[in-house]
């Protein structure tokens, strides 16, 4: 029986366990990716471990999120990260050099390597056939210290691609089609492996787009074969010597199947306010558009931007539209400039911003009240843009450009009346510029670099072990698909506190329930009750760490998203699920939850944890590994590791 590609890479990196879906395994990690919004905490955690130098083949710290320097705080974080990178042997990509995912593809990615990144969109590296997984900062810190990464063994979901995309349709429409079919929880517990004759029709950067937004399906990661298209991209980056072919064996089998005929995919759009609220663009035509943003974490490659340049060339965006371009990297911007694209954008009336994430995480670019914003970004969770009741749509660069020109949502195939389809190809040889990467120093030099810590960088808080008996009030009950953007908002106001847990905890559930932090602090404890897929979206561990700081020790939900569940365990919060989902309906905010002998139950290995909710017995499930139980008992992973575990 032939093996699929994901299994081959997993086998080659298996450090512990057996490849049985659902059972815990541990993987050897080759590359680590850090970005500044999650990276300051990850670096503080790494420092707390006392390891003198990173122990992976390559670690890269990107400064791409917190770019606006409205006071000392983000700038202090940048210098902290830069000096820590030098001290510990980490590559540093300076502010303005671009988004981690795009730069890693360009300069560091290698087919067949396993990467762990403190960002849920780490699977963008699928574009180069890497098995790249998003995780909380603490897990990435552990990997940098040489520990293998633990995760539940995913099932492998084969998606066969046939046919070829039609003009005006691109990679974004393929992943939106997956989201239309399978929703934001369809990929939970799976690695999505694309295979079949359609794969070779997609460029490395189109594959990267599909990998990036596999995170929106809840998937563990995505993988593509490494083929001639991968080779072309690596050769164009001057790194062809690192290419190797990788593919599934003939007749490989998968745990789950799907098939997409690329020739049948049409332009799609995700409507407010969820990435799976997908319809054909033609069904939303005519909606007036106020803002368009191309670029950021996804669809910010040379092909994506140059396609927009060609569409806008010699034309002007509609007068009422604010048209913004966020290049994925300095390299993308330099190559677009070399081919005349910058002038095309400027003369069309576009605003060109520095390479980086920017509005994608609410770092500026918030739309006005009631304004419609079309973005090529990966997510549109409520309020993520920074504006309350926002109306954010997600679409391809082609659809974004059409909306910019016509001022209303328009099926991009109508652009065919104005111009021939600009079938933009990635260059054969990119202009390459590594001037904004600081490479690691020798061990001797590195040791001499002092780490500069600004006043807003507060050491990691100390947490108590799990108590013997448990009693706390349900201080919040929420619905299905609550994202980490709702639990721990991002944006220009909150992001500068990512290295200051006491301060950032005042923003927990800010949009939904601004009194939550006060209530939790007054009571000194609390339980949060959630629906399905609780904690979907980003990898930000602050969505677990800050509630834990406020005294939350237990969350009970119908189900959890993978990264958030791991983050809860890492910070000593019990992630319990309802055995009988109807109990969710019964629990109310204000109810008391008690569980005498909780500690004993957790250490006994019991999966069923009976709790009393207002005197009524509710069976909850603690589905974690033995290792995770020990971490929970210790009050979190760092306590456990410090005691010699891991
Ligand atoms: C996101 O898209 O939400 C981010 C910005 O990439 C986050 C990281 C963060 O919260 O800092 C992610 O997905 O992990």
């Amino acid at each position: 029986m032939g093996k699929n590609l994901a299994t081959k890479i997993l086998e080659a990196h298996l450090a512990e366990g057996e490849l049985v879906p659902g059972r815990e395994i541990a993987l050897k990690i080759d590359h680590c990716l850090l970005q500044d919004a999650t990276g300051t905490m990850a670096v503080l955690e790494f420092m707390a471990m006392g390891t003198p130098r990173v122990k992976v083949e390559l670690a890269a710290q990107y400064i791409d999120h917190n770019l606006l320097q409205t006071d000392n705080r983000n700038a202090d974080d940048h210098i902290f990260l830069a000096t820590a990178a030098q001290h510990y042997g980490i590559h540093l990509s300076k502010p303005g050099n671009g988004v981690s995912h795009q730069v890693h593809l360009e300069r560091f990615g290698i087919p067949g390597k396993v990467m762990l990144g403190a960002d849920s969109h780490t699977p963008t590296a699928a574009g180069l056939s890497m098995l790249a997984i998003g995780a909380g900062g603490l897990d990435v810190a552990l990997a940098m210290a040489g520990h293998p990464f633990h995760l539940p063994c995913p099932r492998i979901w084969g998606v066969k691609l046939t046919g070829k995309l039609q003009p005006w349709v691109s990679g974004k429409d393929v992943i939106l089609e997956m989201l239309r079919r399978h929703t934001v929880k369809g990929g939970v517990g799976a690695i999505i492996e694309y295979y079949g004759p359609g794969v070779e029709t997609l460029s490395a950067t189109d594959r990267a787009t599909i990998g990036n937004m596999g995170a929106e399906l809840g998937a563990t990661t995505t993988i593509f074969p490494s083929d001639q298209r991968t080779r072309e991209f690596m050769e164009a980056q001057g790194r062809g010597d690192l290419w190797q072919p990788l593919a599934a064996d003939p007749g490989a089998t998968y745990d789950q199947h799907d098939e997409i005929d690329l020739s049948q995919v049409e332009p799609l759009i995700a409507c407010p306010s969820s990435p799976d609220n997908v319809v054909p663009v033609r069904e939303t035509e005519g909606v007036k558009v106020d803002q368009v943003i191309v670029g950021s974490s996804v669809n910010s490659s040379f092909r994506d931007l140059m396609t927009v340049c060609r569409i806008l060339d010699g034309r002007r965006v509609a007068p009422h539209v604010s048209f913004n371009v966020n290049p994925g990297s300095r390299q993308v911007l330099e190559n677009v400039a070399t081919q005349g694209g910058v002038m095309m954008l400027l003369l069309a009336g576009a605003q060109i911003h520095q390479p980086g994430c920017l509005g994608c995480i609410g770092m500026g670019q918030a739309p006005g009240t009631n304004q419609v914003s079309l973005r090529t970004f990966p997510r549109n969770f409520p309020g993520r843009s920074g504006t309350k009741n926002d109306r954010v749509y997600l679409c391809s660069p082609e659809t974004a450009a059409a909306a910019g020109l016509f001022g209303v949502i328009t099926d991009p195939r109508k652009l065919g009346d104005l111009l021939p389809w600009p079938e933009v190809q990635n260059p054969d040889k990119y202009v390459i510029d590594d001037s904004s990467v600081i490479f690691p120093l020798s061990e001797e030099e590195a040791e001499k670099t002092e780490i500069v810590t600004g006043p807003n960088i507060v050491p990691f808080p100390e947490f108590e072990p799990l108590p013997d008996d448990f009693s706390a009030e349900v201080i919040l009950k929420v619905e299905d698909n609550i994202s980490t953007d709702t639990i721990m908002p991002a944006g220009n106001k909150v992001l500068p506190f990512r290295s200051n847990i006491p301060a950032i905890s005042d923003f927990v559930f800010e949009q939904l329930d601004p009194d939550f932090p006060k209530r939790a602090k007054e009571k000194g404890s609390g339980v949060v009750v959630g629906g399905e897929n609780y904690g979907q979206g980003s990898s930000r561990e602050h969505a677990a760490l800050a509630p834990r700081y406020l005294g939350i020790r237990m969350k009970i939900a119908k189900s959890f998203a993978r990264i958030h569940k791991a983050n809860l365990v890492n910070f000593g919060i019990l992630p319990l699920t309802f055995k009988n989902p109807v109990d969710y309906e019964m629990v109310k905010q204000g109810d008391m939850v008690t569980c005498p002998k909780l500690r004993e139950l957790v250490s006994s290995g019991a999966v069923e944890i009976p709790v009393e909710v207002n005197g009524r017995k509710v069976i909850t499930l603690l589905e974690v590994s033995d290792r995770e139980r020990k971490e929970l008992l210790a009050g979190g992973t760092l306590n456990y590791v410090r005691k010699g575990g891991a």
Side-chain angles (χ1 to χ4, degrees):
M1 211 166 57
K3 279 186 190 157
N4 55 58
L5 175 57
T7 300
K8 291 194 212 181
I9 301 179
L10 289 174
E11 277 179 359
H13 289 82
L14 197 62
E16 286 166 33
E18 271 175 78
L19 294 181
V20 178
R23 289 222 199 128
E24 187 172 84
I25 54 168
L27 297 177
K28 176 188 170 292
I29 299 300
D30 304 314
H31 285 193
C32 285
L33 176 150
L34 297 157
Q35 43 97 332
D36 52 334
T38 53
T40 49
M41 199 40 70
V43 170
L44 287 170
E45 288 155 351
F46 182 76
M47 287 166 77
M49 289 170 202
T51 312
R53 195 173 170 89
V54 292
K55 293 189 176 163
V56 284
E57 275 171 39
L58 184 141
Q61 168 72 61
Y62 296 91
I63 299 181
D64 54 2
H65 281 70
N66 297 349
L67 296 177
L68 303 184
Q69 296 177 202
T70 53
D71 60 24
N72 63 299
R73 289 171 303 183
N74 287 344
D76 285 352
D77 281 353
H78 299 171
I79 187 74
F80 167 67
L81 292 174
T83 50
Q86 291 275 273
H87 188 88
Y88 290 117
I90 303 171
H91 290 70
L92 181 89
S93 170
K94 286 167 69 176
N97 194 43
V99 178
S100 62
H101 314 301
Q102 176 66 27
V103 181
H104 209 87
L105 275 182
E106 292 167 355
R107 307 308 304 142
F108 301 118
I110 300 177
K113 297 279 180 192
V114 171
M115 174 156 81
L116 195 69
D119 190 298
S120 60
H121 295 119
T122 302
T124 312
L128 279 193
S129 199
M130 291 181 84
L131 196 87
I133 304 176
L138 181 50
D139 284 318
V140 179
L142 282 165
M144 290 196 301
H147 299 284
F149 171 59
H150 292 88
L151 76 165
C153 178
R155 64 182 191 284
I156 316 297
W157 177 5
V159 179
K160 184 172 179 187
L161 299 181
T162 60
K164 185 177 188 312
L165 292 172
Q166 298 285 323
W168 309 104
V169 182
S170 60
K172 182 61 147 260
D173 300 302
V174 178
I175 189 65
L176 289 175
E177 172 63 16
M178 286 290 283
L179 280 153
R180 190 185 68 75
R181 291 186 191 184
H182 301 289
T183 80
V184 287
K185 39 183 206 292
V188 174
I191 294 179
I192 306 176
E193 177 168 329
Y194 292 92
Y195 69 101
V199 167
E200 66 178 24
T201 68
L202 299 173
S203 65
T205 50
D206 255 342
R207 297 176 194 179
T209 298
I210 296 169
N212 175 294
M213 285 185 68
E216 273 36 81
L217 288 157
T220 304
T221 188
T222 291
I223 186 98
F224 278 90
S226 169
D227 57 10
Q228 288 310 315
R229 306 303 302 273
T230 325
R231 181 181 205 162
E232 271 163 29
F233 182 83
M234 293 193 70
E235 280 175 353
Q237 291 290 342
R239 304 195 298 115
D241 53 325
L242 295 170
W243 175 80
Q244 57 159 326
L246 294 171
D249 293 336
T253 55
Y254 295 93
D255 301 313
Q256 187 184 342
H257 300 271
D258 199 3
E259 182 163 340
I260 298 180
D261 176 354
L262 296 173
S263 66
Q264 297 300 309
V265 176
E266 64 172 314
L268 295 171
I269 190 162
C271 299
S273 288
S274 177
D276 63 358
N277 195 8
V278 175
V279 297
V281 176
R282 61 188 156 76
E283 286 180 18
T284 53
E285 278 195 310
V287 173
K288 182 168 171 263
V289 173
D290 305 280
Q291 184 193 47
V292 175
I293 315 181
V294 178
S296 292
S297 155
V298 72
N299 291 120
S300 53
S301 71
F302 173 84
R303 187 222 73 99
D304 293 312
L305 263 56
M306 206 60 211
T307 300
V308 172
C309 298
R310 295 249 181 260
I311 295 171
L312 298 185
D313 188 15
R315 302 180 176 81
R316 285 197 69 84
V317 298
H320 67 274
V321 173
S322 156
F323 196 99
N324 300 260
V325 180
N326 302 343
S329 67
R330 179 181 287 266
Q331 187 196 81
V332 166
L333 184 55
E334 288 174 356
N335 282 275
V336 167
T338 305
Q339 302 211 9
V342 168
M343 281 309 279
M344 296 176 201
L345 292 173
L346 291 174
L347 292 172
Q351 286 170 258
I352 304 176
H353 300 264
Q354 64 172 311
C357 306
L358 306 171
C360 186
I361 191 159
M363 189 49 70
Q365 303 181 322
T369 310
N370 291 327
Q371 289 190 353
V372 167
S373 179
L374 250 66
R375 301 168 165 212
T376 66
F377 300 174
R379 338 198 123 121
N380 59 346
F381 297 130
R384 182 176 159 93
S385 67
T387 299
K388 244 191 160 154
N389 304 318
D390 53 8
R391 297 167 69 196
V392 175
Y393 293 72
L394 307 175
C395 64
S396 69
E398 290 82 349
T399 303
L405 281 184
F406 296 113
V408 292
I409 299 182
T410 307
D411 188 320
R413 289 173 293 193
K414 295 209 171 131
L415 289 168
D417 299 340
L418 299 182
L419 72 154
W421 176 45
E423 196 184 354
V424 173
Q425 304 291 344
N426 287 319
D428 291 339
K429 188 93 196 107
Y430 287 96
V431 174
I432 294 166
D433 169 10
D434 285 335
S435 60
S436 295
V437 176
I438 303 181
F439 289 83
L441 299 170
S442 69
E443 266 178 61
E444 203 185 311
E445 285 300 309
E447 269 171 27
K448 290 190 214 141
T449 316
E450 206 182 307
I451 302 176
V452 180
T453 312
N456 187 45
I457 298 170
V458 175
F460 189 82
E462 291 294 330
F463 292 137
E464 295 293 308
L466 192 71
D468 293 334
D469 307 308
F470 180 83
S471 163
E473 187 181 315
V474 175
I475 57 169
L476 184 69
K477 180 177 174 183
V478 294
E479 296 164 0
D480 290 351
N481 293 323
I482 287 295
S483 80
T484 51
D485 278 301
T486 300
I487 305 169
M488 183 76 261
N492 181 31
K493 190 174 75 176
V494 185
L495 280 169
F497 293 115
R498 284 282 180 99
S499 26
N500 185 342
I501 298 306
I504 208 170
S505 66
D506 284 337
F507 298 94
V508 173
F509 284 115
E510 198 200 22
Q511 278 186 43
L512 199 69
D513 182 355
D515 288 337
F516 180 91
K518 191 164 151 260
R519 228 167 37 245
K521 276 185 191 161
E522 274 166 15
K523 303 205 184 279
S525 65
V527 174
V528 174
V529 170
E532 296 283 4
N533 200 24
Y534 179 87
Q536 71 161 329
S538 104
S539 67
R540 64 188 70 146
E541 61 189 355
H542 301 73
L545 185 44
R548 173 75 174 87
Y549 180 80
L550 293 173
I552 308 299
R553 296 301 304 257
M554 181 184 282
K555 292 199 179 184
I556 316 178
K558 290 191 201 160
S559 65
F560 288 95
R562 173 188 64 90
I563 306 180
H564 188 60
K565 182 176 175 189
N567 285 338
L568 291 175
V569 173
N570 279 347
F571 299 109
I573 299 180
L574 288 176
L576 302 177
T577 51
F578 291 102
K579 182 173 185 197
N580 186 351
V582 294
D583 284 331
Y584 166 85
E585 310 301 334
M586 188 272 300
V587 180
K588 293 183 306 300
Q589 194 164 315
D591 284 351
M592 275 311 285
V593 178
T594 54
C595 181
K597 304 216 165 67
L598 175 65
R599 192 176 169 88
E600 207 178 296
L601 273 168
V602 172
S603 65
S604 73
V607 174
E608 293 202 353
I609 308 283
V611 297
E612 270 193 25
V613 181
N614 268 359
R616 187 170 172 272
K617 194 164 165 188
V618 171
I619 306 289
T620 67
L621 303 177
L622 179 62
E623 291 173 299
V624 295
S625 67
D626 290 346
R627 178 190 53 86
E628 289 176 308
R629 279 176 194 274
K630 290 183 195 140
E631 291 169 356
L632 286 166
L633 291 167
T637 303
L638 215 46
N639 291 352
Y640 175 66
V641 172
R642 280 187 189 136
K643 280 192 342 211

